[in-house]
Amino acid sequence: NLDLSATMSDGSAISNVSFAAPTLTWETPNAHFSAALERGHMSGSFKDAASGEALGNFFGSRHQEQIVDVAGMWNVQLGESDGRSLTFSFEQPTPTTFIGKQVGPGAEVNGTIEHNSVRWEVKAYKGNPAMGFSGSFDFESSRIVDGNCWVSSTGKVMASFTAEKATETNISGYWTATTSDMIKLRFRIDHQGGPRFTGDLIEPAAPSSMSETSIDGNRICWEVQMEEGRIEFRGAVNESGDEIHNGTVKVVSEDDDDDETEEQTFPVAEREAIKRNDEGAIVGLGSSEAEDDDWGSDYENEEEKGAKYYCGRNLGVDLLPGTDGRCGPHNGPQCPSCKRFQSSQVKVDIAGRWALSTSTGDVFKCEWSHDSIFTFSGTCEIEGEEHSFEGGKVEGLQISWIVPIEDWDFDSDDDDSVDDKGFAFEGTLTENGKEIREGSYRNINSSEIIGSFEGKKEEGLGVSRYNMSYYCSIEAVSWTSDGLLELKFVVNGDGSLGDLQNPSVSKITWDDEDFEEHESRPVKTTFTEEDFSRRIAGSLFYENVRADDNSITFTFGQGGYSEVHLDLPPNPNVARTTVIGAEGRTYCGRTVGRDGYYDGSRRWCFSKGRRSCSCDGQCGPSNGCQCRQCYEDSFQNSSVSYTDTDGDVIEFRLNDEGSLDLFVNRKPQLTNIISLEADDLLLSIEGSPAGPWTSGGSTTVPDDKPELVEKIMTMYRNCQLVGELPKCWNGQIKHSAFGGDIDLELHWETPTTGYWIAMGSREDIQIKREGLNITFSDGQTSAVCTIDEDRVLDGIAKQRGYSEDGTVNLKPEGPQSYEEDGFMVYLKMDSFNGEDDYQMKTNDMAACKKVCQERGYGGFTVWGDQVSFKAFSPQELRDDMHRDAGDNMLYINLRLDEDFQVDHVNYQHKDGKSFELRWEEEGEILSLHCDGSVVDSNVTDLEKHGLALCTHGGECTIYPGGDPNPRQLRMLGKIESLFIRSAAGRMQCPSGHEMQFMGVAASGWSCDGTHRPGGCQGGLRKGQSVREAPRYRCRLCDYDLCDGCVKSDRAKKNKEEKK
């Protein structure tokens, strides 16, 4: 019952087709065919139709016809007779039919596909006749070729054509364009692919949704309907999809004819940096022009307008009750995800005066105030003329603003580089909001950069603020010759809350030496600027200020402004009398109270081992605790403190171990600082966490105290230098109080404490050091000495009650080598002189050791201030080691020593059996042997054999009853060093680099497994410092894992391989 028909590709007629499973037969005028079919294939023979003579055999397979896919955007280029380029958008519901529209006019399209022939008709639209198109689909190039188009009604061919798919660009995000008439457009686009998108016009008009949207890969258009008419937008998207060029904006009123409406152009529309909330939706700032009666208005004050982020999604009234159910996009309540995004954003205060230094040598003076949290307005003085602007933006650390300039002839060699329309500026703020870096500016009607600039905020000592727009800056604090305290100030406001408050009622408060609070108002006020509507500048004068701790609190006006703490300079009109007391300490004798004592690392009572202070609240006068000034006079090299740009009280202190600690607001944050770097006023610090910080952080020294940076760095360098001192010294002290000329041996017990042994009649005398200062004392006699650059202890000895001085001179002798921080140190030794792979300075020895261990150098030499790293094995360095005539020191990296590069490990199990773990080069595997017999030919799990390093707090099965001793731990380290070389034990970081086993690391580090889903498998917390635990490291990525995480990863890896 089959109705069969067939065709031949050469056009031959076919007849008498029949099928009787599995045989298929058919005839052509010249031959008869017969074939057996099986699963889409045929094999058979054919013979001459007239004579029946066999002509041959054949084999065939079913032809899988390629499917023509026309879905998407197509650019149709008409031939030379026409020259036009048309764009179509097709959807293909079936393999043989498709529908769509012509982009632009919007005419509907219906089409068919037959084999590789593609044909479609464009319906008549707005006076244009219906048109027909037909061509062949070329599978190799995915183009439509050999095409013709004609008028449907007459059949007249109009032109030939070729067509190819347009490259589709995703244009989702928030966009900004400024037209030739300085109209700023800000709009939002949500593009989910294809020729259509949705969106909203955010500014300047009332919020409106887009219509008539289309994107053809590089051409974009949309319209917005308003009460007065509509806005039509056209442009071309660049290849990266972040700019729209050659654009036009047409504003058409209800009564205007399209042809009579003037078009405005814009050189470029830029997409704002893509920001997404934690649900993946693109977010952007709302409108600063949103009305209060819009859906769900949720602004607490005017500053919030235009400062809230929205995603624009329709999430429903259940999630956003009392609204239209949409998150923004112009104003109103945010969805929960956008609220979380809002709270995570950096809020930078840029209000104040700025100086912009350009690459052309010009300096632009600017003054800005916040309109909202993320927007600002102000003035810029360019070429001596002041120009106002609005709509500046601060998003995170990115800042941008446009300064319109009308009727101004810019002085430029290139007449075309700038016209009379203005500049567009953009740059990157520093985290403290006081500098702009990587800035550039251009003509607003061109995308070409004119020049670069750097900006610096001309801020005073502090700011007393009412809100973002009303604030008072203190420019300077000084004392007058008649004893008055002078505060120079500048107060600004934008007029939104009326006139500025009266500066003459601004108050200061301070505590006296008895901790009684005092308050004062100005006895005199002078003005250099006096515009109470916008800006006032001048000086305030206060009398009888006696602040005990040399600091005051200032509050501007009569109310509502914040307090600002100011440090006072020394008052030249008040003399401070001090005496030298016990231990050479300075005392002034004032009553400061126990809370007024400075709590430094050398505070009297606590340095004596007392749990609480027993002093009477007086600074001295001969011994006891001290006020801050006297303490700093006594130990000016042991502590540095200041109030940073964030308002935190920062203090660097020397601790009892001779290292540097960091305190924030009098609470410890980092101890034993191992890295301290200065970049101008920014200090970057690493150390052991003792507070909310992890292992590092940063702080910025105030602009007016740059000398503190060098003071802090000197303290740190001194700590590093003394930490490397030899353990034993020999020398002599000359002083009658010590019994004349005495030969000494000095021994360090810790980095900060030790003792000397006198070769004469003296008993042992205790010594302590603080930085480079060393104090010898037996309770009555003391000597304060320093260590010079040659590491020779030298100084002056004094005795209380004695007027004569003496000298101390000690030089390092004693042992020629010692072990330190995973290195063997050899004094006056060198190796492979001049064959250096890398060099650093000695001002941070902890960093040098870290580089050596992480980069796998066999060691390094120290000569002067230079560290030279050697790309040789530890044994090679020992073989070439030779004495140096200078003061060279050779450091051998013990972590790369030969015992960590073994090919086998022998050990005794707890049951008495002897085992050997052996490296098999072929196959990169480990084999385990017992008494000559193979126990496991491919060790893939150390725990299976009780060989795994124990996790911190856990127990090793090979050594029950607690953690292994150092010898056993070292043996297990060798086993792990072997295992991580094998295919089974090999580990990779997230970037695919092979990780190294660093041994049982004694120095503090943290496990990066805490940042992975599920956290650290060894039970560690984020930022927790790990000591005396196995460490696995990728030095390229600075990525560390503990043994708990490594074991978990290996278990997952084995499970996947078994699957």
Side-chain angles (χ1 to χ4, degrees):
N1 297 321
L2 295 176
D3 181 14
L4 298 174
S5 61
T7 60
M8 292 286 281
S9 59
D10 64 358
S12 302
I14 288 181
S15 61
N16 299 327
V17 181
S18 65
F19 177 65
T23 303
L24 175 70
T25 61
W26 71 94
E27 298 177 0
T28 68
N30 299 319
H32 294 173
F33 294 80
S34 176
L37 271 63
E38 182 178 3
R39 297 185 178 180
H41 300 283
M42 65 167 63
S43 59
S45 61
F46 58 104
K47 56 187 177 180
D48 185 81
S51 65
E53 180 183 356
L55 298 177
N57 300 318
F58 67 88
F59 175 84
S61 61
R62 178 180 295 142
H63 174 61
Q64 302 292 334
E65 185 173 356
Q66 292 177 279
I67 297 177
V68 175
D69 179 12
V70 298
M73 304 291 298
W74 286 81
N75 288 330
V76 174
Q77 181 62 51
L78 301 183
E80 295 181 358
S81 61
D82 188 294
R84 287 180 298 164
S85 178
L86 309 177
T87 303
F88 295 89
S89 172
F90 297 149
E91 298 177 18
Q92 188 172 346
T94 72
T96 58
T97 62
F98 62 94
I99 58 175
K101 283 188 176 182
Q102 183 181 351
V103 176
E108 294 184 357
V109 172
N110 287 306
T112 59
I113 300 171
E114 186 175 350
H115 301 298
N116 67 334
S117 176
V118 182
R119 180 187 181 97
W120 70 93
E121 183 180 28
V122 181
K123 294 184 178 180
Y125 183 76
K126 291 186 176 181
N128 295 318
M131 298 287 293
F133 292 80
S134 178
S136 299
F137 188 87
D138 181 17
F139 288 100
E140 289 187 5
S141 63
S142 296
R143 300 168 66 239
I144 299 175
V145 297
D146 301 330
N148 287 298
C149 66
W150 61 90
V151 178
S152 298
S153 59
T154 63
K156 180 182 178 181
V157 174
M158 301 296 295
S160 62
F161 75 85
T162 58
E164 60 183 11
K165 274 193 174 182
T167 302
E168 187 173 307
T169 303
N170 190 294
I171 54 171
S172 293
Y174 285 75
W175 294 77
T176 301
T178 302
T179 70
S180 52
D181 281 357
M182 297 305 295
I183 297 177
K184 180 180 177 181
L185 297 179
R186 187 163 176 268
F187 50 94
R188 167 189 169 274
I189 290 177
D190 183 10
H191 184 208
Q192 300 297 327
R196 294 286 182 262
F197 56 88
T198 60
D200 303 272
L201 179 63
I202 306 295
E203 292 178 357
S208 305
S209 297
M210 294 178 178
S211 61
E212 299 297 327
T213 64
S214 67
I215 172 72
D216 67 355
N218 65 336
R219 287 188 289 275
I220 178 177
C221 60
W222 52 263
E223 296 181 5
V224 167
Q225 193 68 36
M226 301 179 297
E227 292 183 2
E228 300 83 3
R230 70 179 185 276
I231 293 178
E232 297 179 357
F233 181 98
R234 303 286 187 272
V237 183
N238 66 354
E239 291 185 2
S240 59
D242 55 5
E243 290 183 356
I244 301 173
H245 295 273
N246 304 322
T248 61
V249 175
K250 183 187 294 185
V251 181
V252 183
S253 68
E254 290 285 350
D255 301 328
D256 285 343
D257 184 272
D258 286 5
D259 296 334
E260 298 177 359
T261 302
E262 180 182 356
E263 285 189 344
Q264 298 184 37
T265 61
F266 61 88
V268 60
E270 296 181 338
R271 181 164 57 179
E272 300 171 8
I274 297 293
K275 299 177 183 289
R276 297 181 185 271
N277 58 26
D278 55 14
E279 293 177 355
I282 297 177
V283 299
L285 293 173
S287 172
S288 59
E289 302 179 0
E291 298 295 332
D292 290 339
D293 59 354
D294 283 341
W295 267 105
S297 182
D298 191 34
Y299 296 124
E300 295 181 2
N301 52 61
E302 288 295 314
E303 291 179 1
E304 289 192 359
K305 284 190 174 182
K308 282 193 172 184
Y309 283 95
Y310 300 101
C311 62
R313 293 179 296 169
N314 239 317
L315 300 173
V317 295
D318 290 339
L319 187 64
L320 297 172
T323 73
D324 59 355
R326 194 176 183 194
C327 176
H330 315 99
N331 71 333
Q334 300 160 297
C335 71
S337 182
C338 286
K339 283 184 178 180
R340 293 190 293 270
F341 178 85
Q342 184 89 35
S343 64
S344 69
Q345 294 307 289
V346 177
K347 300 176 180 65
V348 182
D349 179 10
I350 52 91
R353 290 173 293 162
W354 288 76
L356 310 182
S357 301
T358 70
S359 55
T360 59
D362 296 315
V363 177
F364 299 160
K365 293 288 187 178
C366 304
E367 186 163 345
W368 303 331
S369 61
H370 282 271
D371 300 321
S372 71
I373 300 173
F374 300 114
T375 61
F376 65 99
S377 58
T379 60
C380 280
E381 183 180 304
I382 303 175
E383 288 277 314
E385 295 189 21
E386 189 174 272
H387 305 274
S388 300
F389 70 91
E390 297 178 348
K393 292 192 301 182
V394 179
E395 291 192 68
L397 296 178
Q398 302 304 310
I399 183 171
S400 61
W401 70 99
I402 293 175
V403 180
I405 302 174
E406 298 181 359
D407 302 326
W408 173 54
D409 184 16
F410 182 72
D411 185 12
S412 173
D413 295 336
D414 185 357
D415 294 337
D416 297 327
S417 63
V418 176
D419 62 14
D420 62 350
K421 296 303 183 183
F423 288 152
F425 295 82
E426 61 182 21
T428 303
L429 289 159
T430 56
E431 290 187 0
N432 61 10
K434 293 188 176 182
E435 293 183 31
I436 301 175
R437 297 175 180 173
E438 300 176 1
S440 63
Y441 64 104
R442 57 175 174 80
N443 178 356
I444 61 174
N445 285 327
S446 171
S447 59
E448 183 178 352
I449 300 297
I450 296 175
S452 60
F453 73 89
E454 290 187 353
K456 189 161 186 176
K457 193 174 185 180
E458 297 179 334
E459 191 172 42
L461 304 180
V463 176
S464 177
R465 185 178 298 282
Y466 188 90
N467 60 20
M468 289 291 190
S469 301
Y470 285 78
Y471 56 94
C472 174
S473 299
I474 302 300
E475 304 296 303
V477 178
S478 61
W479 297 94
T480 65
S481 57
D482 54 356
L484 297 180
L485 180 67
E486 179 183 3
L487 271 64
K488 292 185 178 180
F489 74 96
V490 177
V491 59
N492 294 277
D494 63 357
S496 60
L497 299 178
D499 287 348
L500 297 167
Q501 295 184 19
N502 185 2
S504 299
V505 296
S506 303
K507 70 176 181 179
I508 62 171
T509 59
W510 71 92
D511 292 338
D512 65 13
E513 61 183 17
D514 296 322
F515 292 94
E516 292 186 10
E517 184 174 285
H518 296 263
E519 179 179 308
S520 179
R521 307 278 177 176
V523 295
K524 183 173 68 171
T525 304
T526 61
F527 298 109
T528 56
E529 295 183 55
E530 199 172 354
D531 179 5
F532 274 75
S533 65
R534 294 281 180 170
R535 178 182 173 91
I536 309 172
S539 294
L540 305 172
F541 297 87
Y542 299 85
E543 64 179 356
N544 299 325
V545 180
R546 296 290 186 268
D548 176 64
D549 60 353
N550 284 327
S551 67
I552 61 172
T553 299
F554 171 80
T555 308
F556 179 78
Q558 64 261 33
Y561 280 78
S562 63
E563 296 179 342
V564 57
H565 299 280
L566 303 173
D567 292 329
L568 301 183
N571 189 343
N573 307 291
V574 179
R576 174 171 163 261
T577 303
T578 61
V579 297
I580 302 299
E583 298 182 355
R585 295 176 183 244
T586 301
Y587 293 99
C588 64
R590 295 180 301 164
T591 300
V592 297
R594 290 183 180 176
D595 293 337
Y597 289 135
Y598 183 66
D599 189 20
S601 60
R602 295 288 300 274
R603 180 172 172 176
W604 177 276
C605 283
F606 299 148
S607 67
K608 304 303 180 185
R610 300 170 188 168
R611 294 186 177 181
S612 60
C613 180
S614 59
C615 298
D616 58 4
Q618 188 177 10
C619 178
S622 60
N623 62 17
C625 295
Q626 301 160 281
C627 69
R628 183 189 184 101
Q629 286 177 283
C630 290
Y631 182 95
E632 290 181 345
D633 288 345
S634 304
F635 308 109
Q636 55 183 319
N637 293 321
S638 65
S639 175
V640 177
S641 62
Y642 58 87
T643 301
D644 71 0
T645 52
D646 294 328
D648 294 319
V649 178
I650 304 296
E651 181 180 10
F652 289 87
R653 297 186 197 174
L654 286 174
N655 60 30
D656 292 336
E657 297 178 358
S659 296
L660 204 57
D661 293 346
L662 174 70
F663 288 72
V664 178
N665 296 324
R666 301 191 181 277
K667 296 181 179 179
Q669 296 295 333
L670 294 175
T671 61
N672 299 323
I673 293 173
I674 61 171
S675 176
L676 182 63
E677 297 180 356
D679 182 6
D680 195 12
L681 298 177
L682 178 67
L683 297 176
S684 300
I685 316 139
E686 290 185 20
S688 300
W693 288 13
T694 55
S695 60
S698 62
T699 173
T700 303
V701 176
D703 293 340
D704 60 336
K705 296 182 179 180
E707 70 280 358
L708 295 184
V709 174
E710 182 56 32
K711 190 173 182 180
I712 294 168
M713 294 304 299
T714 299
M715 288 176 61
Y716 174 69
R717 287 192 291 267
N718 291 346
C719 291
Q720 300 302 304
L721 177 60
V722 175
E724 303 301 322
L725 290 178
K727 300 290 188 294
C728 183
W729 297 58
N730 289 332
Q732 192 176 64
I733 184 169
K734 294 182 178 182
H735 198 292
S736 59
F738 287 98
D741 297 350
I742 302 175
D743 293 327
L744 302 174
E745 280 187 10
L746 187 156
H747 298 270
W748 292 109
E749 292 179 315
T750 72
T752 60
T753 61
Y755 60 92
W756 80 25
I757 299 176
M759 300 303 157
S761 59
R762 296 289 300 186
E763 299 291 335
D764 293 354
I765 295 181
Q766 299 301 310
I767 60 176
K768 295 187 71 174
R769 79 161 178 83
E770 203 165 49
L772 291 184
N773 296 322
I774 298 178
T775 302
F776 300 78
S777 177
D778 63 357
Q780 293 294 321
T781 308
S782 64
V784 179
C785 313
T786 59
I787 303 171
D788 67 16
E789 293 180 356
D790 296 325
R791 298 185 179 182
V792 175
L793 190 63
D794 195 6
I796 303 298
K798 293 184 179 182
Q799 184 185 26
R800 198 147 34 99
Y802 282 72
S803 58
E804 58 181 302
D805 297 338
T807 61
V808 178
N809 196 325
L810 294 167
K811 293 187 178 181
E813 295 294 343
Q816 296 301 304
S817 65
Y818 55 92
E819 189 169 346
E820 175 183 271
D821 297 336
F823 289 83
M824 183 61 71
V825 184
Y826 296 91
L827 304 179
K828 297 183 180 296
M829 302 300 287
D830 198 359
S831 183
F832 291 102
N833 184 22
E835 298 185 48
D836 308 328
D837 187 70
Y838 182 65
Q839 291 184 330
M840 291 176 64
K841 295 294 184 181
T842 57
N843 58 358
D844 191 345
M845 285 299 296
C848 294
K849 293 175 182 177
K850 184 178 180 182
V851 168
C852 181
Q853 292 173 335
E854 292 186 354
R855 297 190 181 183
Y857 290 115
F860 59 86
T861 57
V862 177
W863 185 78
D865 66 344
Q866 197 76 32
V867 173
S868 301
F869 295 88
K870 308 293 183 179
F872 300 93
S873 71
Q875 189 56 48
E876 288 173 327
L877 292 176
R878 286 194 184 96
D879 292 342
D880 190 66
M881 186 168 61
H882 55 274
R883 182 168 292 278
D884 183 74
D887 290 328
N888 265 24
M889 299 175 71
L890 174 63
Y891 287 69
I892 298 292
N893 182 3
L894 296 180
R895 289 186 180 173
L896 286 186
D897 222 338
E898 285 300 325
D899 57 359
F900 272 95
Q901 298 298 324
V902 295
D903 290 331
H904 64 93
V905 176
N906 295 304
Y907 66 94
Q908 192 81 18
H909 199 268
K910 60 183 179 180
D911 58 8
K913 293 182 178 180
S914 296
F915 286 82
E916 180 186 19
L917 191 67
R918 186 182 302 165
W919 169 256
E920 307 289 351
E921 191 71 37
E922 185 177 353
E924 296 185 335
I925 59 175
L926 295 183
S927 59
L928 183 62
H929 304 258
C930 177
D931 298 331
S933 300
V934 177
V935 177
D936 191 341
S937 61
N938 183 9
V939 177
T940 60
D941 187 356
L942 292 179
E943 288 188 354
K944 174 182 176 182
H945 302 289
L947 297 175
L949 277 162
C950 57
T951 58
H952 22 273
E955 185 175 300
C956 178
T957 56
I958 192 173
Y959 300 119
D963 291 340
N965 61 39
R967 181 184 62 80
Q968 297 164 337
L969 192 63
R970 191 168 183 83
M971 188 277 293
L972 289 172
K974 295 178 183 180
I975 292 175
E976 183 61 29
S977 296
L978 269 178
F979 188 57
I980 200 169
R981 292 165 58 191
S982 70
R986 195 169 295 139
M987 296 301 301
Q988 293 183 335
C989 73
S991 298
H993 307 131
E994 287 194 8
M995 301 185 70
Q996 298 176 343
F997 174 62
M998 306 301 294
V1000 179
S1003 60
W1005 55 281
S1006 58
C1007 178
D1008 289 311
T1010 57
H1011 302 286
R1012 305 192 305 190
C1016 172
Q1017 299 304 301
L1020 298 173
R1021 302 184 303 275
K1022 284 186 179 180
Q1024 180 179 350
S1025 182
V1026 187
R1027 292 180 183 272
E1028 303 297 342
R1031 180 185 187 185
Y1032 300 80
R1033 177 166 181 76
C1034 172
R1035 63 179 181 84
L1036 296 175
C1037 300
D1038 190 22
Y1039 183 81
D1040 297 290
L1041 290 178
C1042 70
D1043 53 327
C1045 289
V1046 168
K1047 288 177 182 177
S1048 175
D1049 290 351
R1050 282 175 176 166
K1052 293 177 182 177
K1053 175 182 174 184
N1054 290 338
K1055 187 176 181 180
E1056 291 172 358
E1057 289 177 351
K1058 288 179 181 178
K1059 285 185 179 181

